[in-house]
Amino acid sequence: MRGSDMHVREQVLYTEKDIKKRVSELARQISEDYAGKEITGVGVLKGSFIFMADLVREITVPLTCSFVQVYTREGEEGSLVSKNILYIYKFDITGKDVLLISEIIDTGVTLSYLVNHLKEMKPNSLKLCILMDKPERRKVNIKADYVGFTIPNHYVFGYGLDNKERARDLPYISFYKE
Ligand code: IMP
Ligand code: MG
């Protein structure tokens, strides 16, 4: 393992093979559901970049890729002070069938904020696809349409998710065992 500076307690949650299998299943389901349509894929940077790259290559319906980044700043005790959305270059989803692609829902605060903003742009439809769901930590009511894995309350990293900005390049997903 090369994910961290604390190798002793690092434990692999999903191997490269586990992830590949699940991503293929999600892609198959999405391709069926969107048959005859074009998907406007919107990836949430940075954490979704690897998941999105693998997912879109397995989806069989026509698809475009756009990206957003949400900046958050937290105050005391994790309360949110401010959020900003950066829409990356010629972002236009009006009238489109949008599939929002994110790596994880934790408290749900980030994605629900983003979903509300995207809805104001009047897409034809808006669905949410996430690789991992941590329902135990939810603070707001948000449910994804496609979920790769439902996981316990661990801080996970690898496969695009960071551990203090490192470890995004790991091909598997790990966590630190308590
Ligand atoms: P939220 O709590 O659902 O608003 O999640 C905010 C963001 O925190 C996510 O989009 C991820 O970028 C990051 N995040 C949440 N949980 C994890 C984790 O277990 N590992 C790495 N990043 C995480
Ligand atoms: Mg982070």
Side-chain angles (χ1 to χ4, degrees), residues 1 10-13 155-158 170 172-176:
M1 276 176 247
E10 187 186 334
Q11 182 155 319
V12 175
L13 184 61
Y155 188 87
V156 290
F157 52 88
L170 300 180
Y172 51 83
I173 295 165
S174 279
F175 69 102
Y176 292 133

Side-chain angles (χ1 to χ4, degrees), residues 29-131:
Q29 185 64 55
I30 291 166
S31 302
E32 271 176 41
D33 294 352
Y34 284 86
K37 294 183 180 168
E38 182 182 71
I39 296 173
T40 298
V42 176
V44 186
L45 295 174
K46 295 188 268 190
S48 73
F49 80 111
I50 291 178
F51 173 46
M52 182 161 174
D54 284 348
L55 185 73
V56 298
R57 282 182 290 177
E58 299 232 24
I59 291 175
T60 54
V61 300
L63 180 144
T64 64
C65 296
S66 294
F67 299 93
V68 296
Q69 187 159 15
V70 184
Y71 293 99
T72 57
R73 199 158 65 78
E74 285 187 13
E76 279 170 35
E77 292 171 13
S79 66
L80 283 165
V81 176
S82 66
K83 278 189 183 289
N84 264 303
I85 301 175
L86 173 68
Y87 298 101
I88 292 164
Y89 193 59
K90 288 188 180 172
F91 191 88
D92 179 18
I93 59 164
T94 307
K96 305 278 174 66
D97 292 306
V98 173
L99 183 63
L100 186 60
I101 299 167
S102 183
E103 76 287 13
I104 198 163
I105 306 187
D106 186 18
T107 64
V109 173
T110 309
L111 280 180
S112 65
Y113 173 80
L114 181 58
V115 164
N116 288 338
H117 277 264
L118 295 181
K119 279 184 177 163
E120 284 173 18
M121 298 178 181
K122 304 256 182 295
N124 183 52
S125 66
L126 176 60
K127 284 189 177 184
L128 176 58
C129 174
I130 57 166
L131 181 63

Side-chain angles (χ1 to χ4, degrees), residues 103 155 161-165 168:
E103 76 287 13
Y155 188 87
L161 291 97
D162 75 302
N163 181 18
K164 300 193 178 98
E165 283 307 320
R168 293 189 196 272

